[in-house]
Amino acid sequence: MRTNIVTATVDDFHALSRRNKMTTEVVAPPRCQACLSTDIQVHPASRRTGLVIHECRGCGLHALAERPELDDLVELLDVDRDWFAGWVERTRGDVIDSSHAQVLDRLATMVGTGDDRSLFDVGAGEGGFLAMARDKGFRPAGNDVATGAIDLARERNGIELFMGDLSTLGDIGQYDVVTMWCVLAHVPDGNRLLSDALELLKPGGVLYLQTPRWSAMDTAGMAAHDVTKGRSTRITDRRLALHHMALHTPTSMRTNLERLGYEIVSIEPKVRYSLNTADYLGSLGVGQKAAERLAKPIDKLLERDLFFRNVIDVYARRPH
C-alpha cells in the first residue's frame, strides 16, 4: 500500500459509495484523529468531488471528513502485477533508492549490528526496500494488500510478502524495526495502523515512517479552495483524496505518536518526490506538453532541495 495508490482517484471513491457496499465514517462532532481535539474547521465541500476537509486548529492535521471502510479500500487497491509494474516505471528510482539507503543506514545505527536484526515493511509494494534491507543485513518481512505487489515482490526481488493488514498478522513483539513508506495517509484509521505497528515492535524497537506533509503549497491551495467556496480545488483535490486521506504536520505527528505510546526520536520535514515530475503535474490537471516544460525547472529545484517539503520522516521507539 505504498504511493502506488496515488492514481486511485476521487472518482473511484465515489464509485465505492454508489455500490452501496461502503459505510463511511463521519464523526459528529468532528474530532481530530491525531490529538482528539474537537476544535475543527470544516472547509467547504469541493464542487468537483463533494469531499469535505476537516482542519484541526490544535495540531494542524488536515483530513477527509468521509473515509471508506478498510475492506472496500482493499478491494479497490487489489491491482494486478502488470498494473503495479507500470506504476513502478513512473517513479523516480534514483530518489527512492537513495532515500531507502539513507534510512537503512540510520536504522542500523539505532538498532545495532548483528545477524538477527529483523525489519517489517508495512505496505511493502514491489519489495525493493526489503531487498535492500536484506542486502544490508536485516532479516526482512513485510505485507501488502495488492496481489500485484505480492507477485512483483516475489518475481523481482525474491521477497515473500504476507497478504493482508497488520491486524491479522499476529507477530507481536517480533521485530527490531517497523517501516512505513507513505502508508499512513492511505488508510482510513491511522490510529489503528500505528497501534498495530507498535505491537509488532520489540521493546526498544524502532518505527520509521514517511508520510505526506501539509506544506506551503497546500496552504495556498486551501486558501483558493476557501475563497472560491470549493470551486478552485485543483491542489486540494489532488492532495486530499482517496490516496491521501490525511496530511500531517510535525505537531500532529508528534502528538499522535506520543498519545499512542511511542517515544519520539526525530520528526524531520523533507523534500522527496517519488513520482516523475511530469506525471505528478499531470495528476494536477496540467496538460502533457505544459507538464513536460514545467518539469525541467522543477527538477532543478528538487535537485537543490529547494522545493516544497512535501513529506515528514519520523523515527520513534517502543519504550523498553
Side-chain angles (χ1 to χ4, degrees):
M1 199 187 305
R2 202 178 294 280
T3 46
N4 55 318
I5 59 179
V6 69
T7 52
T9 67
V10 289
D11 295 329
D12 296 316
F13 182 94
H14 291 299
L16 275 177
S17 300
R18 288 192 295 270
R19 277 192 273 153
N20 295 320
K21 293 172 62 180
M22 182 181 83
T23 57
T24 56
E25 175 190 354
V26 180
V27 181
R31 182 178 293 275
C32 176
Q33 280 197 337
C35 70
L36 305 184
S37 172
T38 56
D39 187 7
I40 303 295
Q41 179 178 352
V42 180
H43 291 278
S46 165
R47 297 296 182 93
R48 187 173 75 86
T49 69
L51 298 180
V52 174
I53 296 170
H54 285 175
E55 175 183 351
C56 177
R57 293 188 177 97
C59 68
L61 179 72
H62 290 70
L64 293 184
E66 183 180 340
R67 306 178 191 95
E69 290 292 318
L70 181 60
D71 288 346
D72 295 287
L73 187 62
V74 167
E75 181 181 344
L76 175 66
L77 299 177
D78 190 15
V79 296
D80 63 23
R81 179 258 181 223
D82 291 340
W83 185 98
F84 211 97
W87 162 257
V88 172
E89 295 305 315
R90 297 172 59 200
T91 59
R92 303 170 72 209
D94 57 336
V95 172
I96 292 172
D97 289 346
S98 175
S99 301
H100 286 177
Q102 291 173 18
V103 167
L104 284 167
D105 287 346
R106 183 165 176 179
L107 289 170
T109 67
M110 297 176 72
V111 299
T113 59
D115 296 331
D116 198 37
R117 296 173 301 168
S118 53
L119 183 150
F120 190 96
D121 190 32
V122 182
E126 85 292 353
F129 176 70
L130 283 175
M132 186 180 292
R134 179 183 58 200
D135 293 343
K136 288 181 176 287
F138 288 93
R139 179 162 46 85
N143 76 315
D144 210 286
V145 298
T147 55
I150 304 291
D151 294 341
L152 204 60
R154 181 185 303 115
E155 172 190 321
R156 291 192 175 181
N157 294 297
I159 297 289
E160 291 291 339
L161 298 178
F162 170 79
M163 179 72 176
D165 67 89
L166 296 192
S167 64
T168 62
L169 187 61
D171 289 351
I172 295 175
Q174 296 297 309
Y175 295 97
D176 296 293
V177 177
V178 171
T179 56
M180 302 179 194
W181 289 88
C182 281
V183 176
L184 183 61
H186 299 161
V187 298
D189 190 345
N191 286 322
R192 176 182 170 185
L193 177 63
L194 291 170
S195 295
D196 287 343
L198 184 65
E199 289 192 353
L200 291 182
L201 286 169
K202 298 176 181 178
V206 177
L207 170 74
Y208 164 80
L209 69 86
Q210 173 189 284
T211 195
R213 170 181 178 262
W214 185 263
S215 69
M217 174 180 65
D218 301 304
T219 298
M222 194 82 258
H225 180 123
D226 287 344
V227 76
T228 62
K229 295 182 170 54
R231 291 183 177 86
S232 180
T233 60
R234 180 174 292 186
I235 292 176
T236 50
D237 286 344
R238 169 60 177 79
R239 289 284 285 166
L240 275 162
L242 184 60
H243 59 278
H244 284 168
M245 287 179 269
L247 296 181
H248 273 277
T249 67
T251 298
S252 66
M253 195 74 260
R254 178 178 294 276
T255 303
N256 202 168
L257 288 170
E258 289 181 340
R259 181 175 60 77
L260 294 174
Y262 287 92
E263 295 177 349
I264 304 297
V265 176
S266 68
I267 297 177
E268 305 164 8
K270 297 282 187 179
V271 178
R272 188 179 295 142
Y273 292 81
S274 59
L275 191 64
N276 289 328
T277 305
D279 287 325
Y280 189 90
L281 292 170
S283 73
L284 286 169
V286 179
Q288 181 178 352
K289 291 184 178 180
E292 290 172 355
R293 288 196 303 270
L294 288 170
K296 293 180 181 179
I298 291 175
D299 283 339
K300 290 181 180 179
L301 292 173
L302 292 174
E303 290 171 4
R304 299 175 64 186
D305 203 33
L306 294 176
F307 209 59
F308 299 107
R309 297 190 177 276
N310 62 316
V311 300
I312 305 172
D313 271 9
V314 180
Y315 295 84
R317 288 189 183 275
R318 178 177 179 173
H320 285 281

